[in-house]
């Protein structure tokens, strides 16, 4: 511990304020996109194995308070993602009819979106983007989540963040219409002002 020097301190006098966290409602469409990204460089990602049942995945999502899980394979790399919509939507019913299996037998790998069908936004793009750009991108792709990717020193792409439609709505403090009629940032913003 001798290599560390102690920090200088100041004695407190007079009026001293205490920092308050920024209210989530202070985020706007013009805010930097990074403000609504779940940064996996600072927050542990919610991950699951492809061999776990869909019911357990749903319970885990509820426990973690998330609507998306990254599916990690045996070699500890991304195999796909599974969302609450995948689990609670019509996809499992179609799977049951097609395969003749019980609901309790459906695995994460049966419902997940596999790696080869996933898109990711480069972190460099995100650093120059606004919240409105992310909403427009999610709308255009007709998705509720977007992955963010960076290239670490080892040269392999790495998921470093996630954008979630519901998280963006929460931080904006408003419901964003999900129809694909409005595409541009200006159209989205004007549709929100009208509501």
């Amino acid at each position: 511990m001798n290599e560390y020097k102690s920090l200088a301190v100041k004695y407190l006098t007079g009026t001293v304020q205490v920092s308050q966290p920024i209210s989530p409602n202070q985020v706007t469409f013009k805010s930097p996109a990074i403000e609504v990204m779940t940064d996996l460089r600072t927050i542990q990602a919610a991950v699951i194995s492809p061999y776990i049942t869909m019911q357990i995945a749903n319970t885990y999502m509820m426990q973690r308070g998330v609507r998306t899980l990254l599916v990690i394979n045996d070699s500890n790399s991304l195999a796909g993602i599974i969302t609450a919509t995948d689990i609670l939507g019509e996809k499992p019913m179609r799977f049951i009819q097609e395969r003749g299996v019980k609901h309790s037998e459906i695995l994460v790998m049966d419902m997940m979106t596999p790696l080869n069908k996933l898109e990711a936004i480069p972190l460099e793009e995100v650093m120059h983007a606004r919240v409105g750009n992310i909403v427009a991108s999610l709308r255009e792709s007709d998705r509720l989540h977007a992955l963010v990717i960076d290239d670490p020193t080892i040269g392999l792409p790495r998921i470093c963040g996630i954008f979630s439609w519901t998280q963006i709505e929460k931080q904006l403090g408003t419901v964003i219409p999900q129809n694909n009629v409005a595409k541009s940032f200006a159209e989205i913003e004007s549709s929100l002002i009208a509501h």
Side-chain angles (χ1 to χ4, degrees):
M1 281 304 271
N2 290 344
E3 70 269 19
Y4 296 103
K5 195 173 100 180
S6 65
L7 301 176
V9 297
K10 291 186 175 186
Y11 287 96
L12 302 177
T13 59
T15 304
V16 177
Q17 303 273 312
V18 175
S19 288
Q20 296 292 318
I22 295 172
S23 165
N25 293 343
Q26 290 181 340
V27 171
T28 69
F29 279 95
K30 290 182 171 77
S31 297
I34 200 85
E35 289 184 20
V36 296
M37 182 180 92
T38 300
D39 192 336
L40 300 180
R41 298 168 301 174
T42 59
I43 295 169
Q44 183 69 43
V47 300
I48 198 156
S49 161
Y51 312 110
I52 300 292
T53 65
M54 186 182 69
Q55 290 175 323
I56 292 173
N58 188 43
T59 301
Y60 183 55
M61 278 185 197
M62 290 188 293
Q63 289 171 340
R64 287 283 309 255
V66 298
R67 297 182 52 82
T68 301
L69 297 172
L70 299 178
V71 183
I72 304 299
N73 62 25
D74 294 337
S75 62
N76 211 25
S77 61
L78 187 67
I81 65 168
I82 188 163
T83 68
T85 306
D86 294 330
I87 293 172
L88 304 173
E90 60 192 49
K91 206 172 175 182
M93 297 315 291
R94 281 197 316 260
F95 188 79
I96 289 168
Q97 290 170 345
E98 289 169 9
R99 303 282 173 94
V101 298
K102 294 180 186 150
H103 196 270
S104 60
E105 296 172 335
I106 302 174
L107 301 179
V108 167
M109 70 173 139
D110 299 324
M111 293 296 111
M112 72 180 191
T113 302
L115 182 68
N116 64 352
K117 295 229 169 43
L118 293 176
E119 303 160 343
I121 303 168
L123 183 60
E124 313 85 73
E125 290 282 320
V126 171
M127 298 309 287
H128 304 291
R130 300 284 170 205
V131 172
N133 299 118
I134 301 305
V135 172
S137 296
L138 288 170
R139 269 213 168 138
E140 188 148 320
S141 67
D142 202 22
R143 296 188 193 273
L144 298 176
H145 300 86
L147 299 174
V148 180
I149 199 160
D150 70 354
D151 292 307
T153 52
I154 57 170
L156 295 171
R158 172 180 72 173
I159 303 299
C160 66
I162 300 175
F163 287 108
S164 157
W165 187 278
T166 52
Q167 180 65 33
I168 292 170
E169 285 182 327
K170 199 181 293 180
Q171 287 187 249
L172 285 169
T174 187
V175 173
I176 308 166
Q178 285 184 16
N179 62 16
N180 268 332
V181 178
K183 288 273 200 235
S184 76
F185 170 57
E187 288 174 311
I188 293 167
E189 203 166 32
S190 68
S191 74
L192 280 175
I193 292 167
H195 285 91

